[in-house]
Amino acid sequence: MTTDPLVPDVITSRPLGIMETFFRCRTACGFYKNFQVTSTYNQDLQNNLDLLYKALRKTLIDYAILATNIKYDNQLGTYVYSPINNVKYGDILSIEQNDEEYLDDKQFVTEKFMKKVNDITFTLYTNEILFKLILVDKNQLCFVVEHTIADGLVGNYFHEILVENLAYCDQQNNTQEYLENYGPTPDKITFDSCIFDFESDKQYIKYSLPPPIDPFLEDIDLDHTYNNPNFHEKVTPKGQTKWKGRFPESSPTFTASFKLINFTPSQTRQIIQKCKSENVTLTSYLEVIQAISLRHIYPPNQYMSIKVAMTLRRHYDPTKAPVEYQKVLTTPTYKNMGNSPHMGFAENIPKLSTTLDWDYVRKINTNLFNSARNTRALHILKPFRDNHDPKSDNPEIFEGKIGKPMDDSVKISNLGYINVPEYPGDAGRMWTIENMVFAQDMAFYAADFMLNCISTPKGGMNLVLSYLERPEMRDGEDMERVVEELRVNMLKYAE
């Protein structure tokens, strides 16, 4: 770990944990690109680019993980997060003018925009920043980021932080405080203006990088199933075989498609209230509805494997953390950025009828509840740990999956219900976020479908269904049917 003599308790560089190492290798091998969260701001950002610069600079200094890349540290003999020397405003922000192609009539980002963003690649082991902002129209801001430095929750965290910082920088009475804590900004701000310079700005960094999750969990060698033969990922429907997927032989040659499904605020409330009345979470409801909506895709006597991604942040215990990380983990207003996700444990779901069994949803809900509290969660990475070369990108591990069935049928990631406050700016101007859309790239071997979810009070619930397209694809029309059934079933069973 690296600290600076001026701020000895602030960690600005540290080794990667095992989960972070897995994501490093996957990106470096070209088998995953990025994820994206686009937010609708209530104010015109195109006419406030100077203000956006100042708010973004504050964000980079408060959350220095955003201004790092990965490098191999010869002295430590491992890969580490390393501060980027110098970042220009234009290295991060770009303005997209194709509003008609990238926004629909409801001002939601389109599939075409999500595809464009999904093609963005980031380069590890360089002095280049690992996230970008794309401004569409006046107030649609897309945060797209490489997965080694961030997990899904960082997507909404970033926007929540940025909008608060915009309001802070908008208040004239904060000018002197900003100057003291974040330094001067150029008189004339352009895309060539430096927004972060590590040597001159490290004096302002007051928070360490987020700690790795590894020390807060049990040893990776300990079985996460506790040798329980009834652990849910071990239990498969009797007399059924696992569905091999739409493409039984996985291949890195594909494109990802995205379908956005929006539920209005009133529809969202209806769905959430129904889940509450049945004592289940929205995520467990999504899992079963997704399985019902795909029932026409896979054959009889076969079951689906569905995994729900979860965050491991709940396991960060400040009492177990070194002093350098105390401030990060105990400051109530500070968000724990970084990369601490988990792929989830498989739920093997038989072909369901078109009648929703709420007891079955409750069973899945219990499994999700227990999974989130499993302190042996890192055990799923034991095969990777045992077979990878710490000094390599380990392409053979991922290439070994080519030609084999997908790991799972569906992966689900729900970032939750994001209620952003209204923050006062100058002259009575208020700042907030009105909508969010979450989408991500697909690893070629991971799953046939990816379902991403995020909700806000004003924008409602946004589902993005991702799926693979390949030259031999024969069931393109079925994808439209899946989308429509997903839309219909979400509401139908919530009545």
Side-chain angles (χ1 to χ4, degrees):
M1 296 187 294
T2 302
T3 59
D4 188 89
L6 297 176
V7 279
D9 290 337
V10 175
I11 300 296
T12 56
S13 176
R14 67 156 175 86
L16 275 60
I18 189 62
M19 189 76 71
E20 295 162 329
T21 298
F22 173 84
F23 287 116
R24 169 187 72 80
C25 292
R26 192 175 66 167
T27 291
C29 292
F31 292 136
Y32 190 91
K33 302 187 202 74
N34 64 61
F35 66 87
Q36 54 183 290
V37 176
T38 302
S39 289
T40 306
Y41 288 68
N42 70 322
Q43 299 292 345
D44 184 340
L45 296 179
Q46 280 214 32
N47 287 324
N48 286 282
L49 292 180
D50 286 6
L51 189 64
L52 180 58
Y53 169 96
K54 294 175 183 178
L56 182 56
R57 173 174 167 78
K58 180 179 184 302
T59 304
L60 291 174
I61 291 173
D62 287 343
Y63 296 90
I65 185 71
L66 294 170
T68 65
N69 201 303
I70 314 298
K71 76 173 185 181
Y72 188 79
D73 188 307
N74 289 306
Q75 184 175 356
L76 294 177
T78 189
Y79 283 91
V80 300
Y81 291 117
S82 177
I84 295 170
N85 296 336
N86 183 279
V87 183
K88 294 180 180 179
Y89 193 20
D91 293 336
I92 300 174
L93 179 66
S94 62
I95 298 177
E96 184 54 66
Q97 302 295 344
N98 295 330
D99 302 345
E100 293 183 359
E101 293 185 21
Y102 297 146
L103 295 176
D104 65 18
D105 56 355
K106 295 181 180 179
Q107 295 297 289
F108 286 87
V109 287
T110 62
E111 175 185 347
K112 189 169 185 177
F113 177 76
M114 287 185 267
K115 273 179 167 284
K116 176 185 175 69
V117 173
N118 194 63
D119 285 336
I120 294 173
T121 56
F122 295 97
T123 308
L124 299 181
Y125 321 138
T126 67
N127 198 44
E128 298 175 10
I129 201 155
L130 294 177
F131 80 94
K132 293 184 182 296
L133 297 177
I134 304 170
L135 180 58
V136 185
D137 197 19
K138 297 178 180 180
N139 61 346
Q140 303 283 347
L141 188 65
C142 177
F143 170 74
V144 53
V145 62
E146 189 275 329
H147 214 324
T148 308
I149 66 164
D151 60 22
L153 281 176
V154 174
N156 55 276
Y157 282 175
F158 176 86
H159 288 289
E160 293 174 77
I161 293 162
L162 184 65
V163 74
E164 184 175 6
N165 286 343
L166 282 162
Y168 173 87
C169 296
D170 196 24
Q171 296 179 17
Q172 293 301 314
N173 58 1
N174 288 332
T175 302
Q176 185 59 37
E177 183 179 274
Y178 184 99
L179 182 63
E180 293 172 358
N181 289 313
Y182 302 100
T185 57
D187 292 333
K188 183 178 181 181
I189 295 172
T190 69
F191 277 11
D192 287 327
S193 298
C194 176
I195 195 168
F196 179 83
D197 182 275
F198 180 68
E199 284 304 314
S200 57
D201 289 335
K202 63 185 177 183
Q203 61 181 309
Y204 304 117
I205 299 175
K206 298 179 176 62
Y207 292 92
S208 293
L209 302 181
I213 190 61
D214 309 48
F216 299 89
L217 293 170
E218 293 186 65
D219 191 280
I220 192 172
D221 288 309
L222 296 177
D223 179 14
H224 66 274
T225 73
Y226 295 83
N227 296 313
N228 177 7
N230 295 317
F231 191 83
H232 64 86
E233 73 173 1
K234 292 181 177 180
V235 178
T236 60
K238 292 182 180 180
Q240 296 189 20
T241 57
K242 184 178 178 180
W243 182 45
K244 293 185 177 181
R246 293 164 56 231
F247 307 111
E249 295 183 356
S250 61
S251 168
T253 305
F254 73 91
T255 57
S257 284
F258 305 89
K259 298 293 184 182
L260 172 64
I261 306 171
N262 171 256
F263 297 96
T264 65
S266 61
Q267 291 172 331
T268 302
R269 286 193 296 271
Q270 174 189 340
I271 293 168
I272 292 176
Q273 287 170 2
K274 180 64 175 179
C275 289
K276 286 183 178 179
S277 71
E278 296 290 347
N279 294 314
V280 299
T281 60
L282 172 64
T283 305
S284 57
Y285 181 68
L286 281 171
E287 191 166 348
V288 176
I289 293 300
Q290 176 74 94
I292 292 175
S293 302
L294 289 172
R295 65 188 309 277
H296 67 281
I297 292 284
Y298 61 105
N301 300 319
Q302 294 190 12
Y303 65 87
M304 298 178 65
S305 169
I306 298 182
K307 284 181 183 170
V308 174
M310 56 187 184
T311 178
L312 298 176
R313 281 175 175 79
R314 69 175 68 248
H315 298 293
Y316 282 108
D317 181 352
T319 65
K320 298 179 181 179
V323 64
E324 311 94 275
Y325 297 117
Q326 292 291 322
K327 191 174 182 180
V328 172
L329 298 179
T330 59
T331 303
T333 57
Y334 193 79
K335 296 186 184 299
N336 183 359
M337 304 279 264
N339 194 22
S340 56
H342 190 276
M343 296 78 164
F345 304 120
E347 189 77 52
N348 299 311
I349 300 181
K351 193 150 192 170
L352 301 177
S353 71
T354 54
T355 301
L356 184 67
D357 182 350
W358 283 103
D359 285 336
Y360 187 64
V361 182
R362 279 185 280 273
K363 177 183 176 183
I364 288 178
N365 192 75
T366 298
N367 291 339
L368 290 177
F369 180 86
N370 292 333
S371 295
R373 285 155 180 77
N374 192 323
T375 55
R376 296 182 177 181
L378 287 182
H379 182 67
I380 66 162
L381 284 176
K382 175 176 164 56
F384 173 80
R385 192 279 312 269
D386 291 346
N387 293 289
H388 88 292
D389 176 358
K391 296 182 179 181
S392 166
D393 293 338
N394 300 280
E396 65 282 353
I397 290 179
F398 301 94
E399 290 169 355
K401 294 178 176 291
I402 295 175
K404 298 178 181 178
M406 299 284 184
D407 289 348
D408 298 290
S409 309
V410 182
K411 294 189 184 295
I412 296 175
S413 183
N414 181 12
L415 298 187
Y417 186 78
I418 316 300
N419 191 358
V420 181
E422 285 190 331
Y423 297 102
D426 207 26
R429 180 161 66 169
M430 304 300 291
W431 288 86
T432 191
I433 288 172
E434 298 179 337
N435 191 34
M436 289 185 175
V437 177
F438 169 41
Q440 63 179 302
D441 192 24
M442 301 180 71
F444 75 91
Y445 58 85
D448 273 86
F449 298 94
M450 179 82 208
L451 185 65
N452 295 294
C453 178
I454 193 167
S455 307
T456 57
K458 292 185 178 180
M461 182 194 309
N462 289 316
L463 302 182
V464 174
L465 180 69
S466 308
Y467 58 91
L468 307 180
E469 287 188 309
R470 290 189 358 202
E472 68 271 31
M473 183 172 143
R474 298 182 300 274
D475 52 3
E477 292 182 359
D478 277 345
M479 295 303 102
E480 296 299 334
R481 180 179 171 184
V482 168
V483 171
E484 186 56 28
E485 292 204 6
L486 187 55
R487 182 196 307 276
V488 170
N489 289 336
M490 285 290 292
L491 295 171
K492 173 182 174 182
Y493 297 109
E495 292 178 351

